Amino acid sequence: MSLDLSDTNRYGDELYAALVDRRTVPNLRDRVPGLQLEDAYRIQSRMVQRRLDAGETIVGKKVGATSVAVQNLLGLYEPDFGQLLSGMQYLDGDTIELSSLIQPRAEGEVAFVLKADLAGPGITAIDVLRATDYVVPCFEIVDSRIDNWDIKVFDTVADNASCGVFVVGTEPKDPLELDLALVGMTIDVRKPGDTVGELFATGAGAAVKGSPVNSVVWLANMLAEMGTPCRAGEVILSGSLTVMAWVKEPQTITVEFGGLGSCTVTFV
Amino acid sequence: MALSASVIADLAGIIDDAQHNAAEIVKLTDAHPDMDVADGYAVQAELCRKWQADGRRLTGYKGGLTSKAKMVQMGLDTPVFGVLMGDTCVPDGDVVDMTQLIHPKVEAEIAFVTSRELSGDVSIDEVLAATEFVLPAIEVIDSRFKDFKFDVQSVIADNTSAARYVVGGSPRRPAGLDLRLLGVVMERNGELVGTAAGAAVMGHPAASVVALVKWLAGAGQALPAGSLVMTGGVTEAVAVHAGDHVTARVQNLGTVGVRFA
């Protein structure tokens, strides 16, 4: 039993208002009887539409819940996705005001920038590699509009997959020169005034569905079911290689990838 | 040092028997509560002397507890070290006989082979300059202590749980490699069981060699040219059982694998 359009619009509007006001709302799963995954994606569409109506454009997609650990946490057995909007995009070296976010956490990811449309169904890793213009290191700064990050699958999907903002590196690399499954990653956190950071976590590409490429394959085929292909020029965040880092205080965080360069962002 | 030479020799005998017979023992501090870290290393040194006297070859050293989390957990500010004997080297792709082990676990590592002697206080750059090649490795650890109930002193005496080691893949000179950022992926029977990067070992795998050389200097020794150094687990240790096949893939260094039967 799925929800009426008026209901999904109402929840989408509620999450949009929470985003604009930088506040959180109670999780949906406990107060929306009968909520299903397709409803959650319709709520997400409404939330995204409100941003488009306010003048933003879609610049790409994010894939979330790509590791078994996060899937267990959220109670789902496949990834999810959200839309990246023009107002979310930052570049390597940028500064982000903590007051512009609610309860941010940082994830190190490989971002794909497409040079051709990827229209499923039937997309394989070969198609993704051929359609990829370049890959770059990236931070996804996830941020939940749900109270205390108390999310399960429907809550995060409705909330645009908990996407906050994202920061992309500026040195493109050719995906044909890397084994993305084996790309290693470190995340360093440096406090204001310190000259060196502290290692927060390390990871490798295989943590993302065996390879970040597989994540983009999943996305392209999933979007085909919804009738919306990945477009040339879009950036695809393929999923976190490791656990999320809370960003509660001003700090500078750097993600570095073997063979792929680095990306740094400062929170003030 | 709290224990006498005769007690150290007795403890070395207990450890040696446990390793040889794949028999569990209780931690040494149960009978010798005064035992300290220096005593642990004295037991280990006694074992190494005995093994070499038996004609076994010392091929190098291993670091253990090399992640910051493990050092904090054990209350240490330096890793622990053990010795590697040539007869415990398992060829890449070969089989480990489970009847010779108690409750083994595996860790994916980055191993170093040195081209020059290293002694005293050395830097990461000096270690890299004295490294002939690096290669992917799997360490099979097998604590002889029942239910893994041990303390640092006992683990050191037990040669830091060293059991078997496997090296292989594509050996590479370290120049041009950023060992901090090499991705390491461990699989057991095709299932992903660990992903990490080289920096998980003390921020840089060569920092483990730096600490080893410093520790050797404290014992009046140097790390000889041609030594193998297993720098410590990049991924968390995972248990293995008969029938398992484990592989470690390391970015730019290929794959090393081992089976258990």
Side-chain angles (χ1 to χ4, degrees), chain A residues 124-205:
Chain A
T124 70
I126 304 291
D127 303 305
V128 170
L129 289 172
R130 295 188 68 214
T132 299
D133 193 8
Y134 56 86
V135 287
V136 280
C138 171
F139 271 120
E140 182 184 356
I141 311 302
V142 290
D143 194 17
S144 181
R145 271 66 60 174
I146 304 293
D147 292 348
N148 304 313
W149 270 101
D150 172 24
I151 59 169
K152 291 288 184 184
V153 52
F154 301 151
D155 305 301
T156 185
V157 166
D159 188 25
N160 198 22
S162 307
C163 199
V165 298
F166 65 99
V167 189
V168 287
T170 52
E171 290 182 36
K173 290 287 190 298
D174 183 347
L176 303 187
E177 292 177 1
L178 292 162
D179 181 345
L180 288 171
L182 296 184
V183 162
M185 183 197 77
T186 62
I187 294 179
D188 257 55
V189 179
R190 181 163 58 84
K191 292 177 185 155
D194 287 356
T195 50
V196 291
E198 186 164 341
L199 183 66
F200 168 75
T202 76

Side-chain angles (χ1 to χ4, degrees), chain B residues 23-61:
Chain B
E24 289 177 316
I25 53 176
V26 296
K27 64 180 190 290
L28 304 181
T29 44
D30 284 1
H32 301 279
D34 293 344
M35 179 180 179
D36 61 22
V37 164
D39 292 316
Y41 278 118
V43 173
Q44 189 191 107
E46 177 61 26
L47 280 170
C48 189
R49 265 193 298 276
K50 178 186 178 303
W51 291 338
Q52 289 181 284
D54 290 345
R56 298 174 68 182
R57 178 180 162 220
L58 176 67
T59 50
Y61 295 87

Side-chain angles (χ1 to χ4, degrees), chain B residues 45-231:
Chain B
E46 177 61 26
L47 280 170
C48 189
R49 265 193 298 276
K50 178 186 178 303
W51 291 338
Q52 289 181 284
D54 290 345
R56 298 174 68 182
R57 178 180 162 220
L58 176 67
T59 50
Y61 295 87
K62 58 155 288 189
L65 307 176
T66 48
S67 77
K68 188 172 176 186
K70 278 190 199 161
M71 277 189 234
V72 169
Q73 188 189 331
M74 299 298 279
L76 298 171
D77 56 5
T78 172
V80 296
F81 301 100
V83 298
L84 297 174
M85 308 310 291
D87 53 286
T88 65
C89 178
V90 179
D92 189 3
D94 212 336
V95 181
V96 172
D97 179 359
M98 288 292 288
T99 65
Q100 296 175 3
L101 302 172
I102 303 166
H103 40 207
K105 295 182 176 184
V106 290
E107 299 176 340
E109 306 202 1
I110 295 169
F112 286 58
V113 174
T114 60
S115 54
R116 293 203 298 270
E117 181 182 279
L118 283 166
S119 62
D121 280 326
V122 294
S123 66
I124 284 176
D125 285 346
E126 285 168 323
V127 167
L128 293 174
T131 298
E132 191 168 340
F133 53 87
V134 292
L135 72 176
I138 294 171
E139 187 185 11
V140 183
I141 53 174
D142 190 30
S143 172
R144 264 55 66 163
F145 299 109
K146 191 166 166 28
D147 303 329
F148 298 94
K149 285 179 184 156
F150 51 65
D151 44 28
V152 175
Q153 303 92 304
S154 299
V155 168
I156 290 167
D158 186 26
N159 195 24
T160 62
S161 308
R164 300 286 185 276
Y165 65 92
V166 192
V167 287
S170 305
R172 288 272 302 265
R173 286 175 225 293
L177 294 175
D178 187 340
L179 300 179
R180 290 177 312 129
L181 297 180
L182 295 186
V184 176
V185 175
M186 175 160 261
E187 284 153 329
R188 180 179 56 197
N189 305 325
E191 185 186 354
L192 196 65
V193 289
T195 52
V201 176
M202 300 183 70
H204 192 305
S208 176
V209 184
V210 169
L212 168 67
V213 172
K214 188 176 173 182
W215 171 74
L216 284 170
Q221 299 176 57
L223 180 68
S227 292
L228 170 69
V229 181
M230 302 279 290
T231 51

